Amino acid sequence: MNQSVPLPGQLVRVRHRHFVVNEVQASALPVNPLKDPLKKPQNLVWLSSVEDDATESEELQVIWEIEPGAVVRDRIDLPEPIGFDSPARMDAFLDAVRWGAVSSADARSLQSPFRSGIEIEDYQLDPLVRALQMPRVSLLVADDVGLGKTIETGLVVQELIIRQRVHSVLIVCPASIQIQWRDQMRDKFGLEFRIVDSKLIADLRRRRGLHVNPWTHFPRLITSIDFLKRERPLRRFRETLPPDDAPKYPRRYDMLVIDEAHNIAPSGRGVYATDSQRTHAIREIIPHFEHRIFLTATPHNGYPESFRSLLELVDNRRFSRGIEPDEKQLRAIMVRRMKSELPERWDGTPRFPKRLVEPLEVDYSPEERVAHENLKRYTQLRGRNCASESEKFASDFVLKLLKKRLFSSPAAFLATLEKHERSLIQAVRKSGKPPTQSLGLLRRRVEGIEDDYADDDQYEESSNEVIEIASRFFRELTSEERSLLNELKRFARHFSDITDAKAKCLVKWLQRNIKPDNRWGDERVLIFTEYRATQKWLQGILAAHALATGERLQTIFGGMSTEETEKIK
């Protein structure tokens, strides 16, 4: 039994680790010395670790009187001498004391570069140095693609955790790169993050009960912007905020990181840009974070109103969405470097290879040109004869999607076209006329499929559902419209089995660059497709032209396991 109760500020040893006492609270339960003379009042003690490896604000609560082996050390006490250390061990100890002393007081002594498992470039330290000079971190890191914005963010987060300035961190990113963020933070910085999504919520409810809040179960979290903007996740987040929903000091959360921040910027023209659901969600939660870092390679989309609104989200003390940003204030919070602007390495070699953009011109066949004209004519007819605002909105959505699929591949176009036609026929059979449904419901479903999906099959399923709902708003086809649909369907079925002009152009380029004279070279090529149907179709074409022998051709798509993806990489 421990007799002496520690005081706030004292150093104690508990469970073989050293802590500083933050607070001591005596028990309110009465103790009767006549009945139990050995029983004394108990005290609840809040402790913070001071160990060298306690980089995550390690805290502990113990009942002091019943904690075995707990010892109070006066701040002037030294450890009991039990022998002499070797000079090398003593030197290492002094270095550790010196580094630990300056890490929290000297902004020029950086710790995270030496505690991370990465090879750091000198330019990647710029955001870290800026962050340490700011009393409240507000950074817009807009470096070029490939310069390492993730590494720069990890350095800042780890450094602020080491200095006890940050404990809770929320990373908001597209759904497709949540796993990448989690693995990068774990493997390169030793920081564990958990992904908040529907799967995690279901798991927490099974283990901890129906009323568990996913936003408070762990200090470091990752979520997607399209999950966060939904009503239920956002409502659960509100439950963790102050009762009056007003930001107070200290803030409820410490650090907010938003990747691909241009996705949450308001869009449109005019004096004020129009806030999207993503913008509304970020605008609601951001006042409750002490520090914020926005990451994007394309901060400006060409509309000054949108850019000013994005800057206001980063720092509303420096910028306002209705006022032109001051250049000096912009330089204070924005880190923007292009690959071409970085100096050469010490030996004179360039840091990055020069990027050359060479367009491949496609000579479309007469059949493909006719198909585009037919789709254009079908679009004009459907738009001209819309009977209501609901039908016009539904027509715009379906026809725009058909155009995108046609430019992607005949296979992707055929799947969407057939779904559209079946939905039209079913809607007419059921009612004989377009049903009167909620336009708001259709708008919400359309906005839903514009989300970033981590699973391509799930995206296709959602797209088909929205096409079916939108087609119910269409009136019955005229004879000319039906004829155009039949022509488009014949075209798509024919070219889904053969190589179209764009695929022929790609095959020739691949044969010339990676398999010249029918012999494999040592070059690798990355081919990106918009839709999974296009990827499958193109895979068959490349295999037919002997460009997929052995394991020469690998495909990565949303929905693959992390192990499979990493193996291919």
Side-chain angles (χ1 to χ4, degrees):
M1 297 286 290
N2 300 304
Q3 303 299 323
S4 60
V5 180
L7 299 175
Q10 280 191 308
L11 182 68
V12 299
R13 182 175 176 84
V14 177
R15 302 177 188 179
H16 305 288
R17 293 175 68 83
H18 287 91
F19 296 84
V20 168
V21 179
N22 292 333
E23 184 181 351
V24 179
Q25 181 178 349
S27 173
L29 297 176
V31 176
N32 191 339
L34 297 178
K35 293 184 178 180
D36 192 352
L38 298 179
K39 188 173 183 180
K40 295 183 178 180
Q42 296 180 343
N43 294 267
L44 179 62
V45 181
W46 280 265
L47 306 171
S48 292
S49 176
V50 294
E51 296 284 343
D52 290 337
D53 60 348
T55 60
E56 304 176 8
S57 302
E58 181 183 341
E59 297 179 352
L60 186 65
Q61 297 179 22
V62 299
I63 299 177
W64 184 258
E65 283 72 17
I66 63 174
E67 183 67 27
V71 178
V72 179
R73 296 187 182 276
D74 288 337
R75 281 169 286 186
I76 60 175
D77 285 353
L78 293 176
E80 289 292 333
I82 57 175
F84 292 96
D85 292 330
S86 65
R89 185 180 180 87
M90 184 65 180
D91 188 51
F93 169 74
L94 293 177
D95 284 341
V97 172
R98 192 178 300 114
W99 293 341
V102 301
S103 64
S104 59
D106 189 355
R108 296 171 299 177
S109 299
L110 307 179
Q111 296 295 305
S112 57
F114 304 101
R115 301 198 184 195
S116 57
I118 55 177
E119 183 178 352
I120 301 175
E121 300 285 350
D122 51 3
Y123 65 83
Q124 293 174 338
L125 298 177
D126 186 13
L128 174 58
V129 174
R130 291 201 193 195
L132 291 182
Q133 294 172 349
M134 294 179 172
R136 180 181 291 110
V137 178
S138 297
L139 283 177
L140 175 60
V141 182
D143 283 342
D144 199 0
V145 176
L147 291 186
K149 293 185 288 294
T150 304
I151 291 176
E152 293 169 350
T153 303
L155 290 171
V156 174
V157 171
Q158 189 180 47
E159 186 75 29
L160 294 182
I161 289 176
I162 293 172
R163 294 171 180 266
Q164 308 293 317
R165 291 177 59 184
V166 163
H167 177 63
S168 58
V169 184
L170 174 62
I171 298 176
V172 180
C173 63
S176 55
I177 57 175
Q178 290 180 114
I179 295 177
Q180 178 181 337
W181 265 101
R182 182 196 64 188
D183 294 347
Q184 294 275 338
M185 292 296 102
R186 179 195 62 208
D187 298 340
K188 295 183 177 179
F189 300 98
L191 299 176
E192 181 186 356
F193 279 80
R194 295 181 183 175
I195 298 175
V196 179
D197 54 12
S198 302
K199 181 179 178 181
L200 175 74
I201 292 177
D203 180 63
L204 287 176
R205 286 178 174 176
R206 284 193 300 268
R207 293 188 293 111
R208 302 189 185 181
L210 294 177
H211 301 290
V212 64
N213 195 313
W215 304 110
T216 58
H217 85 285
F218 198 72
R220 291 177 302 279
L221 302 172
I222 299 173
T223 191
S224 72
I225 179 60
D226 293 318
F227 178 81
L228 177 65
K229 76 179 185 183
R230 299 175 187 171
E231 176 56 31
R232 288 186 179 180
L234 198 56
R235 185 177 70 246
R236 301 305 298 271
F237 193 93
R238 293 191 193 104
E239 294 173 359
T240 69
L241 302 178
D244 56 0
D245 203 28
K248 298 178 180 179
Y249 184 83
R251 297 290 190 263
R252 177 65 179 82
Y253 298 95
D254 296 329
M255 171 70 77
L256 175 65
V257 178
I258 300 180
D259 195 11
E260 304 294 340
H262 55 273
N263 291 329
I264 61 102
S267 59
R269 303 168 182 250
V271 179
Y272 290 105
T274 304
D275 286 356
S276 63
Q277 282 187 307
R278 295 172 175 175
T279 312
H280 279 299
I282 297 301
R283 198 180 295 281
E284 181 173 349
I285 71 171
I286 203 169
H288 302 280
F289 286 84
E290 184 72 16
H291 311 283
R292 58 196 71 168
I293 301 177
F294 283 49
L295 309 174
T296 174
T298 54
H300 206 304
N301 61 3
Y303 299 112
E305 302 85 4
S306 178
F307 182 60
R308 290 198 294 262
S309 299
L310 180 63
L311 292 177
E312 183 186 41
L313 290 173
V314 178
D315 193 336
N316 59 2
R317 297 170 183 82
R318 299 174 186 262
F319 307 101
S320 175
R321 62 193 304 178
I323 302 175
E324 191 68 24
D326 179 75
E327 186 175 349
K328 181 179 179 181
Q329 297 293 344
L330 187 59
R331 287 198 301 267
I333 64 106
M334 186 172 178
V335 181
R336 175 70 168 170
R337 281 86 55 92
M338 306 300 290
K339 290 181 178 178
S340 57
E341 299 173 353
L342 296 177
E344 297 177 341
R345 297 184 184 275
W346 62 271
D347 57 356
T349 58
R351 293 179 182 266
F352 302 95
K354 187 177 180 180
R355 183 180 182 184
L356 300 176
V357 180
E358 298 179 357
L360 301 180
E361 295 189 9
V362 179
D363 185 16
Y364 286 98
S365 65
E367 294 88 347
E368 292 171 284
R369 295 178 184 273
V370 170
H372 283 275
E373 290 297 325
N374 287 340
L375 181 58
K376 182 179 179 181
R377 175 61 178 168
Y378 179 72
T379 302
Q380 292 172 346
L381 293 175
R382 299 303 303 187
R384 182 186 305 166
N385 300 319
C386 288
S388 64
E389 182 183 357
S390 300
E391 185 179 356
K392 185 178 187 307
F393 180 82
S395 299
D396 290 342
F397 162 71
V398 174
L399 297 173
K400 185 184 296 184
L401 186 59
L402 284 172
K403 290 179 181 179
K404 292 175 64 177
R405 298 290 177 108
L406 180 58
F407 277 111
S408 181
S409 71
F413 177 67
L414 177 62
T416 306
L417 185 66
E418 290 180 338
K419 182 63 179 178
H420 170 56
E421 185 183 34
R422 286 195 303 269
S423 301
L424 279 175
I425 296 173
Q426 291 172 0
V428 172
R429 284 177 179 174
K430 287 180 180 179
S431 62
K433 59 180 180 179
T436 55
Q437 296 190 19
S438 168
L439 178 59
L441 173 62
L442 178 60
R443 289 184 185 275
R444 288 194 295 271
R445 295 301 301 269
V446 170
E447 290 175 355
I449 69 164
E450 292 176 353
D451 295 349
D452 180 76
Y453 282 79
D455 191 320
D456 287 338
D457 292 332
Q458 183 182 359
Y459 169 75
E460 289 297 330
E461 183 179 345
S462 299
S463 298
N464 289 334
E465 291 177 358
V466 180
I467 291 172
E468 183 177 353
I469 295 173
S471 298
R472 296 173 187 169
F473 290 85
F474 281 45
R475 54 175 171 76
E476 190 175 359
L477 293 170
T478 64
S479 59
E480 183 180 1
E481 291 169 349
R482 188 174 300 279
S483 175
L484 290 170
L485 273 185
N486 290 333
E487 289 294 327
L488 289 170
K489 191 162 55 175
R490 279 194 291 270
F491 158 80
R493 286 176 175 172
H494 174 67
F495 276 88
S496 293
D497 298 329
I498 64 174
T499 307
D500 68 349
K502 187 164 62 172
K504 287 179 181 178
C505 183
L506 176 61
V507 168
K508 289 181 179 178
W509 186 91
L510 292 172
Q511 291 173 337
R512 185 171 61 251
N513 287 273
I514 68 172
K515 199 177 181 183
D517 300 326
N518 205 28
R519 299 178 62 182
W520 289 104
D522 57 359
E523 296 289 338
R524 292 190 177 118
V525 175
L526 300 179
I527 303 173
F528 294 89
T529 63
E530 180 76 11
Y531 303 108
R532 174 76 170 127
T534 301
Q535 187 188 56
K536 294 178 180 178
W537 173 77
L538 187 59
Q539 184 178 10
I541 290 176
L542 296 180
H545 288 82
L547 292 171
T549 56
E551 295 186 348
R552 291 283 180 175
L553 178 62
Q554 300 287 336
T555 57
I556 296 179
F557 53 88
M560 294 181 65
S561 66
T562 306
E563 293 76 13
E564 291 178 307
T565 304
E566 290 302 320
K567 181 180 178 181
I568 293 175
K569 288 181 180 181

